[in-house]
Amino acid sequence: MKRLFFIPLILLVFGSTAYSQNSYGFGLIGGLNYNANGNYYESVDSNAQHPDRNIGFHVGAFGKIGSRLYFKPGLIFTSTKSDYTDGSFKMQKLDAPLLVGIKLIGPLSIFAGPSFQYILDSDFGSQSIDNFENEISMGLNFGVGLSISKIGIDLKYERGFSSNEANFINNNDLNVSKIDSRPDQLILSLSLLL
């Protein structure tokens, strides 16, 4: 399963050498993530009073192959935080989205594709969590982008194909709790094509 994580990197290197100069490029990407605790739409309402609770960030690199119809693989470091009543769940991970997009009108495009996730580190309060069902999981990204010259702004929604939970015992009342490493996310990114 760990080998699947490196497929996007191989595709990025191979794909960039297989196309002409006008149809590919590399770039840098960064931005903010907003995570949901449980059901995304229910958590938006409960977190409206404290919008900073579930905000994280991401930075990384991407490749872009094609013009009107394009393939955009990436390798992105993501740090997320989700606040619960018992504490904060923090996670650092590598994301490898494999997005296919199409330019619609002018600078506007839509895109979708799978995203692989590899968990680097996670903790809940002072407890380190290392017993997730899978270190590598797969989800789905889809969204809309706006590109002007070499600068792009993307807004995408990410969700897991299945939950990737870890169980831990809450020391205060000995309840077993579950944390999902694949929460639904809204991701706002700023990119620069080099």
Side-chain angles (χ1 to χ4, degrees):
M1 187 72 169
K2 288 186 180 184
R3 290 181 189 159
L4 285 177
F5 185 74
F6 294 102
I7 289 174
L9 186 60
I10 293 167
L11 287 173
L12 178 66
V13 172
F14 175 74
S16 66
T17 59
Y19 288 87
S20 69
Q21 287 182 327
N22 294 331
S23 62
Y24 77 90
F26 293 95
L28 302 175
I29 191 166
L32 299 175
N33 301 25
Y34 178 78
N35 303 322
N37 296 345
N39 182 294
Y40 188 80
Y41 298 103
E42 291 173 9
S43 80
V44 167
D45 182 46
S46 66
N47 290 320
Q49 297 171 1
H50 303 284
D52 61 333
R53 285 179 138 184
N54 294 350
I55 292 192
F57 69 91
H58 61 276
V59 293
F62 69 93
K64 188 171 182 183
I65 303 166
S67 301
R68 181 158 167 70
L69 179 65
Y70 61 88
F71 175 55
K72 189 176 177 182
L75 189 59
I76 301 167
F77 171 80
T78 303
S79 178
T80 64
K81 180 182 94 164
S82 297
D83 283 343
Y84 293 89
T85 54
D86 295 337
S88 289
F89 171 57
K90 296 178 184 175
M91 181 173 54
Q92 289 78 42
K93 60 184 181 161
L94 285 177
D95 288 316
L98 302 173
L99 305 175
V100 175
I102 186 165
K103 284 193 172 187
L104 295 177
I105 301 170
L108 187 66
S109 64
I110 58 171
F111 54 83
S115 180
F116 295 91
Q117 166 185 290
Y118 177 72
I119 299 171
L120 298 171
D121 189 29
S122 60
D123 61 81
F124 185 73
S126 60
Q127 299 179 35
S128 178
I129 301 174
D130 57 4
N131 61 344
F132 282 103
E133 294 172 25
N134 301 301
E135 287 181 341
I136 298 174
S137 62
M138 188 168 69
L140 173 68
N141 280 204
F142 59 89
V144 62
L146 184 66
S147 296
I148 301 172
S149 186
K150 294 185 175 198
I151 297 174
I153 298 173
D154 293 343
L155 179 63
K156 61 185 170 184
Y157 174 75
E158 179 181 283
R159 61 160 294 152
F161 285 130
S162 61
S163 61
N164 187 28
E165 296 178 334
N167 297 325
F168 67 95
I169 297 175
N170 184 335
N171 292 333
N172 295 335
D173 52 12
L174 297 179
N175 288 333
V176 175
S177 299
K178 291 184 179 190
I179 296 288
D180 190 357
S181 73
R182 265 290 187 191
D184 294 353
Q185 297 184 74
L186 274 179
I187 303 169
L188 179 64
S189 301
L190 181 65
S191 61
L192 176 65
L193 197 59
L194 302 176

